[in-house]
Amino acid sequence: MKNTNHESRITNHELAALPPISEMMRTAGLEPKKQFGQNFLFDLNLTDKIARSVPDIQNQTVIEVGPGPGGLTRSLLATGAKKVISIEYDKTTKPILDEIIAVSDGRLEVVYEDALKISDFGFLISDLVPQVSICSNLPYNIGTELLVRWLHLISQSSILNPQSSMTLMFQREVAERIVARVGDKQYGRLSVLVALTCDAKILFNVPATAFYPKPKVQSAVVQLIPKQIENRKFKIENLEQLTARLFGQRRKMIRSIMPGVDWTQFGLTGTERAEELSPMKFLEIAKEIKL
């Protein structure tokens, strides 16, 4: 039988012995690429804090999108993730990630692919994997789109379930939209889609000075836990279309945007605006009206 505790201590010692991320980047001759939305975290204390936020990480296969030079990757491994699967588009980071793979005790796999082209994680995951979570410092330019795709997976009864979690870095403005409730000025389409599929909260803010290069915006780490959806499956596509249509003209009354609808069947007058409708009311409408 393997002495896993002993091996884990050896692995973590080897991880800790790796050079600082900034030094590894200089050695590899790498700089963040603006076209990929890259803003790297060099502070391992901060990446450790993010990794420690992943619930039950020791029993999770953690999917990471955009590892870059592997700061958060190192922290996920050091915190005890059962396995880490990192999806990276930029192959120039390979020399650095290869060094981390070498001291990962087989717990790190890097897939060089465009995350937007991966519609499901099923082909990455063994049938033997008990639980899957996502933890990423998401590239700013694709973060929201990736989140919506993952909400699709949850609504379709996929590998993401109430025992999973998503611990994700976003621009602070996006984070506030994710957790917004009816009555909040940030409440919108993304708020509705999240509220119907997950329990979401902002864990902590991250200052712009924590990144290289320093972005012009503040960031925040958001955690989303998939809900136990009744009957597990519902058509999130209908919700996407409805919320896009109504929030697209959010200052107008809903009867002006969709004049042919009998709003009284939903207990509404039609004089309401999108920002006044609860997520459950959007779901009720989406189940009856096909756009």
Side-chain angles (χ1 to χ4, degrees):
M1 179 180 292
K2 283 188 176 182
N3 185 341
T4 54
N5 289 336
H6 177 64
E7 290 187 356
S8 177
R9 287 196 297 271
I10 292 174
T11 300
N12 285 352
H13 174 75
E14 292 176 339
L15 281 167
L18 288 173
I21 302 166
S22 56
E23 181 181 326
M24 295 178 81
M25 286 191 64
R26 283 195 298 270
T27 300
L30 297 179
E31 287 288 334
K33 296 178 178 60
K34 187 175 181 180
Q35 69 267 34
F36 295 154
Q38 292 176 337
N39 296 88
F40 297 142
L41 288 170
F42 286 176
D43 186 347
L44 291 181
N45 290 322
L46 178 56
T47 57
D48 285 349
K49 183 178 180 180
I50 296 171
R52 288 195 302 268
S53 300
V54 178
D56 193 30
I57 190 170
Q58 289 81 8
N59 295 311
Q60 301 284 335
T61 289
V62 181
I63 295 175
E64 178 192 19
V65 172
L72 180 56
T73 316
R74 287 163 64 164
S75 293
L76 290 169
L77 292 166
T79 306
K82 195 174 187 69
K83 183 173 183 179
V84 178
I85 300 176
S86 296
I87 303 171
E88 178 56 69
Y89 183 76
D90 180 13
K91 292 183 179 179
T92 62
T93 62
K94 189 175 185 301
I96 297 176
L97 295 176
D98 281 348
E99 288 191 56
I100 302 173
I101 289 173
V103 296
S104 70
D105 192 29
R107 292 186 294 134
L108 174 60
E109 176 184 352
V110 180
V111 177
Y112 293 96
E113 181 60 90
D114 182 349
L116 291 174
K117 294 181 179 178
I118 300 176
S119 60
D120 197 338
F121 296 131
F123 79 96
L124 298 176
I125 305 298
S126 164
D127 292 338
L128 301 177
V129 171
Q131 298 300 336
V132 176
S133 287
I134 304 172
C135 184
S136 291
N137 169 25
L138 293 173
Y140 284 152
N141 56 350
I142 61 171
T144 302
E145 185 174 353
L146 283 172
L147 175 58
V148 171
R149 293 187 182 201
W150 296 334
L151 298 181
H152 275 257
L153 296 184
I154 295 168
S155 73
Q156 295 164 3
S157 183
S158 76
I159 58 175
L160 297 176
N161 56 57
Q163 284 70 53
S164 304
S165 65
M166 296 187 287
T167 306
L168 309 170
M169 181 91 73
F170 290 98
Q171 295 179 41
R172 174 73 196 191
E173 177 186 349
V174 176
E176 290 174 347
R177 296 206 322 261
I178 288 170
V179 303
R181 300 291 181 260
V182 178
D184 296 340
K185 66 178 182 179
Q186 300 92 346
Y187 182 67
R189 170 176 169 266
L190 188 58
S191 317
V192 172
L193 298 179
V194 168
L196 289 169
T197 51
C198 299
D199 292 313
K201 61 182 177 181
I202 294 176
L203 296 183
F204 50 86
N205 295 325
V206 180
T209 52
F211 296 90
Y212 175 75
K214 179 182 174 181
K216 296 179 181 179
V217 296
Q218 299 297 308
S219 299
V221 175
V222 180
Q223 189 160 83
L224 304 98
I225 307 295
K227 288 182 175 179
Q228 184 68 53
I229 299 171
E230 185 180 359
N231 299 324
R232 285 305 300 159
K233 297 182 182 181
F234 67 88
K235 290 288 186 181
I236 200 171
E237 293 86 357
N238 295 344
L239 274 167
E240 281 196 278
Q241 294 176 33
L242 179 65
T243 53
R245 188 161 178 181
L246 295 184
F247 279 110
Q249 303 179 71
R250 62 187 301 144
R251 300 312 305 158
K252 286 189 175 182
M253 293 185 291
I254 56 177
R255 70 183 183 190
S256 299
I257 303 171
M258 298 171 61
V261 175
D262 176 13
W263 294 105
T264 60
Q265 65 179 308
F266 305 113
L268 302 170
T269 65
T271 59
E272 297 85 359
R273 292 172 173 80
E275 60 198 26
E276 301 174 62
L277 304 183
S278 71
M280 289 305 298
K281 186 61 69 175
F282 271 104
L283 180 59
E284 181 185 349
I285 297 168
K287 284 181 176 178
E288 297 297 327
I289 296 177
K290 303 297 184 286
L291 299 176

